[in-house]
Amino acid sequence: MNTGSDEPGEVAVAADETNAERGLGSRAPKFIKARRALHLSWQVGVFIVGLAVVVAGVIMLPLPGPGWLVIFGGMAIWATEFVWAQLVLRWTKRKVTEATQRALDPRVRRRNIILTAVGLVIIAALMAVYVWKFGFAMPWNIKE
């Protein structure tokens, strides 16, 4: 069986494991990294494209559209070239994973369902009092 190395003591690592924790830094092709001016213009281009995507995501936050998803997409574009974006993206992935695990906890789900039910009962009670007192009139049409 070939482990990928003839040296004793080395352990072969699966390709999935190496891609999961890739090193920080530029992912530009080698011929671009070899020329400073080309690499700098590559970084400026990546920054502008990432900025356009992030701005589009920010615009989508109040408007219909997948705002946060687009913002994270812009961060992923930046992360192909900038270490600070790679670190922010790793931190964000870790926090999203932790939140997902917490949300899937049965006790937390039960608590959230109970809180939602209590909130809906309170809203229904307030709406019932409003309809009882004013009928189906809109608030701006009430003369009192």
Side-chain angles (χ1 to χ4, degrees), residues 18-130:
T18 58
N19 289 339
E21 287 296 324
R22 254 178 111 174
L24 297 175
S26 175
R27 301 218 187 354
K30 289 182 182 178
F31 73 92
I32 290 177
K33 288 184 195 177
R35 295 170 183 83
R36 178 132 173 87
L38 189 58
H39 191 235
L40 185 61
S41 62
W42 176 272
Q43 286 181 327
V44 169
V46 167
F47 183 79
I48 290 172
V49 170
L51 182 65
V53 173
V54 168
V55 167
V58 170
I59 290 171
M60 284 185 213
L61 285 175
L63 300 175
W68 285 111
L69 185 65
V70 174
I71 290 171
F72 292 135
M75 288 298 297
I77 291 171
W78 278 339
T80 63
E81 200 56 37
F82 303 107
V83 173
W84 61 267
Q86 293 169 2
L87 295 174
V88 169
L89 210 55
R90 283 184 183 177
W91 178 83
T92 304
K93 286 179 183 177
R94 191 171 54 249
K95 291 299 179 183
V96 167
T97 303
E98 290 172 6
T100 303
Q101 293 301 321
R102 280 194 311 268
L104 293 176
D105 181 27
R107 291 183 305 168
V108 174
R109 289 187 70 210
R110 194 171 336 148
R111 182 201 64 199
N112 290 344
I113 290 171
I114 291 170
L115 288 174
T116 302
V118 168
L120 289 174
V121 167
I122 291 171
I123 290 171
L126 291 173
M127 287 177 60
V129 168
Y130 178 85

Side-chain angles (χ1 to χ4, degrees), residues 127 129-138 142:
M127 287 177 60
V129 168
Y130 178 85
V131 169
W132 172 72
K133 184 163 172 110
F134 301 109
F136 288 104
M138 290 291 145
I142 297 175

